[in-house]
Amino acid sequence: GAVVSQHPSRVICKSGTSVKIECRSLDFQATTMFWYRQFPKQSLMLMATSNEGSKATYEQGVEKDKFLINHASLTLSTLTVTSAHPEDSSFYICSATSPYSGDVLTFGAGSRLTVL
Amino acid sequence: GDSVTQMEGPVTLSEEAFLTINCTYTATGYPSLFWYVQYPGEGLQLLLKATKADDKGSNKGFEATYRKETTSFHLEKGSVQVSDSAVYFCALTDRGTGNQFYFGTGTSLTVIP
């Protein structure tokens, strides 16, 4: 079945630095990818929707200059947290769909970001 | 707009007990309904799905039936195991609103031996 790989699974960085998280579809072409943020013991918050070859669509309240999303190919989307601060510490999860997977959303394993 | 309302947790059950996690939805179009499971420290995995009214999704002993008349998609399992301890999310995607996904708040289940 469809597999989405997310890397790194854990990252610790200093305040003020930037961190890039990669999301890859391993065995299918992902025309659409979604980035979620999950706070402890809470549900998923959709941050943005990225479509291959076009700009991401951000949800209300998400700073697009802080959370840069790039979906340059059908198998790779990246989320860059710029000038990270401790309040950006969270669990970030990507997911993907494609015209060939129907309406099933396939998730990556998530990336735990800790900003010191 | 579309939304999913899910039974709040946490839920604690003894092994072999019966599980029900309630989920109701609101949708303007033609939703597909899902249950996803999240084990500690991991992403979400699809547990089961149903794409139209009266469909029953099932997997690993879990079942849920798409009830259009009650706009519900309750998750059930007849005999839970310790390994079922996880967070369960009800979700929908609606072809009438561009296939965006909507998630419930999640229900944490702990099964004790």
Side-chain angles (χ1 to χ4, degrees), chain A residues 10 34 36 38 41-44 46 59 91 93 97 101-110 112, chain B residues 32 34 36 38 41-46 49 51 87 89 93 95 99-106:
Chain A
R10 294 178 181 271
F34 303 90
Y36 292 87
Q38 187 179 32
K41 298 185 179 181
Q42 293 190 25
S43 188
L44 303 171
L46 179 64
E59 295 299 302
F91 194 55
I93 311 175
T97 63
S101 61
D103 52 7
V104 174
L105 197 60
T106 303
F107 286 85
R112 171 74 60 193
Chain B
S32 294
F34 306 82
Y36 281 86
Q38 184 180 33
E42 299 183 11
L44 277 69
Q45 302 173 26
L46 178 67
K49 61 178 278 191
T51 58
V87 180
F89 291 92
T93 186
R95 290 183 286 281
N99 286 337
Q100 183 169 341
F101 268 77
Y102 299 85
F103 286 89
T105 53

Side-chain angles (χ1 to χ4, degrees), chain A residues 4-7 10 15 17 29 37 39-40 46 49 52-53 60 62 64 71 81 88 91 96-97 101 110 113 115:
Chain A
V4 173
S5 173
Q6 193 172 338
H7 178 80
R10 294 178 181 271
S15 187
T17 61
Q29 293 182 328
R37 182 173 180 176
F39 294 97
L46 179 64
T49 302
E52 186 267 337
Q60 191 172 6
V62 177
K64 58 184 177 183
H71 192 161
V81 183
D88 298 325
F91 194 55
T97 63
S101 61
L113 170 63
V115 184

Side-chain angles (χ1 to χ4, degrees), chain A:
Chain A
V3 177
V4 173
S5 173
Q6 193 172 338
H7 178 80
S9 58
R10 294 178 181 271
V11 57
I12 301 173
C13 69
K14 293 182 178 180
S15 187
T17 61
S18 295
V19 174
K20 180 184 285 188
I21 300 170
E22 293 187 347
C23 180
R24 293 181 184 274
S25 57
L26 296 187
D27 51 0
F28 67 103
Q29 293 182 328
T31 53
T32 303
M33 288 187 170
F34 303 90
W35 286 95
Y36 292 87
R37 182 173 180 176
Q38 187 179 32
F39 294 97
K41 298 185 179 181
Q42 293 190 25
S43 188
L44 303 171
M45 182 191 80
L46 179 64
M47 299 175 66
T49 302
S50 71
N51 295 296
E52 186 267 337
S54 63
K55 290 184 178 180
T57 303
Y58 289 82
E59 295 299 302
Q60 191 172 6
V62 177
E63 299 176 61
K64 58 184 177 183
D65 293 332
K66 180 165 192 62
F67 298 100
L68 301 179
I69 292 172
N70 183 278
H71 192 161
S73 77
L74 285 170
T75 59
L76 175 65
S77 176
T78 60
L79 166 67
T80 302
V81 183
T82 62
S83 187
H85 291 281
E87 57 266 30
D88 298 325
S89 299
S90 193
F91 194 55
Y92 294 89
I93 311 175
C94 72
S95 63
T97 63
S98 85
Y100 311 104
S101 61
D103 52 7
V104 174
L105 197 60
T106 303
F107 286 85
S111 298
R112 171 74 60 193
L113 170 63
T114 303
V115 184
L116 302 176

Side-chain angles (χ1 to χ4, degrees), chain B residues 5-113:
Chain B
T5 301
Q6 189 175 338
M7 172 178 142
E8 290 191 18
V11 174
T12 302
L13 295 174
S14 297
E15 206 165 20
E16 299 183 2
F18 184 86
L19 168 71
T20 299
I21 300 177
N22 290 337
C23 172
T24 57
Y25 67 90
T26 302
T28 55
Y30 307 95
S32 294
L33 302 174
F34 306 82
W35 278 100
Y36 281 86
V37 58
Q38 184 180 33
Y39 298 102
E42 299 183 11
L44 277 69
Q45 302 173 26
L46 178 67
L47 180 60
L48 53 84
K49 61 178 278 191
T51 58
K52 62 182 187 298
D54 299 326
D55 271 1
K56 177 186 282 187
S58 62
N59 185 25
K60 299 180 181 180
F62 291 89
E63 292 184 340
T65 301
Y66 188 144
R67 302 282 188 201
K68 189 174 181 180
E69 64 275 16
T70 55
T71 61
S72 65
F73 193 55
H74 305 321
L75 182 68
E76 297 182 336
K77 186 173 185 181
S79 175
V80 294
Q81 304 300 313
V82 172
S83 57
D84 294 327
S85 298
V87 180
Y88 293 82
F89 291 92
C90 185
L92 74 82
T93 186
D94 189 342
R95 290 183 286 281
T97 57
N99 286 337
Q100 183 169 341
F101 268 77
Y102 299 85
F103 286 89
T105 53
T107 301
S108 175
L109 169 67
T110 300
V111 180
I112 54 177

